[in-house]
Amino acid sequence: MRFPKSFRWFLKTFGGDGHELDLNGCNDILENHKSFKAFHIPKGYVIIQNVDEYCYCLDTENMKDGECPVVNWSAYEEGVYHTANHFYQFILDEIENAIENDWFEV
């Protein structure tokens, strides 16, 4: 499995610590994968944010031009929902949402 360029940039730049955005670093990715393996997480899904009842995942099986979509997947419900075309779009949406909701000061 290969991470998309945008997520590799994120890991190199921030060390996987999403600061106040609550994004997973490498250790969290491995732990989440172990936790959700029993729930038959789809092949190629990499959990980048665990929000309890659902998870945001990189869909590495659908890599195109070094990037892959971010999807919303739940171990408890059927269906997968497209969230962003790539990690850059996902992280930008997360930052904008954090600013709008005063999760941290700019």
Side-chain angles (χ1 to χ4, degrees), residues 72-106:
N72 180 324
W73 171 79
S74 174
Y76 312 104
E77 298 176 14
E78 286 189 35
V80 174
Y81 305 96
H82 178 84
T83 302
N85 291 330
H86 46 75
F87 183 75
Y88 287 131
Q89 180 185 1
F90 175 79
I91 194 77
L92 179 60
D93 291 346
E94 287 290 295
I95 291 168
E96 289 173 349
N97 190 30
I99 291 169
E100 287 174 15
N101 291 293
D102 292 324
W103 291 348
F104 58 82
E105 292 186 29
V106 180

Side-chain angles (χ1 to χ4, degrees), residues 1-17:
M1 175 182 311
R2 185 158 173 85
F3 291 151
K5 293 177 198 175
S6 54
F7 192 66
R8 290 193 314 259
W9 164 83
F10 173 79
L11 292 175
K12 286 179 187 175
T13 305
F14 298 103
D17 180 12

Side-chain angles (χ1 to χ4, degrees), residues 3-71:
F3 291 151
K5 293 177 198 175
S6 54
F7 192 66
R8 290 193 314 259
W9 164 83
F10 173 79
L11 292 175
K12 286 179 187 175
T13 305
F14 298 103
D17 180 12
H19 300 281
E20 296 182 42
L21 295 175
D22 194 29
L23 294 170
N24 291 340
C26 291
N27 289 335
D28 294 327
I29 287 170
L30 294 172
E31 286 302 313
N32 277 315
H33 190 77
K34 288 178 191 173
S35 297
F36 284 95
K37 198 171 185 179
F39 292 97
H40 307 290
I41 185 169
K43 183 181 178 190
Y45 278 23
V46 175
I47 298 171
I48 56 172
Q49 189 178 54
N50 182 348
V51 193
D52 295 327
E53 66 274 2
Y54 61 91
C55 300
Y56 290 106
C57 304
L58 298 171
D59 181 2
T60 64
E61 289 290 298
N62 286 302
M63 197 75 73
K64 182 179 178 185
D65 298 324
E67 294 296 334
C68 66
V70 177
V71 296

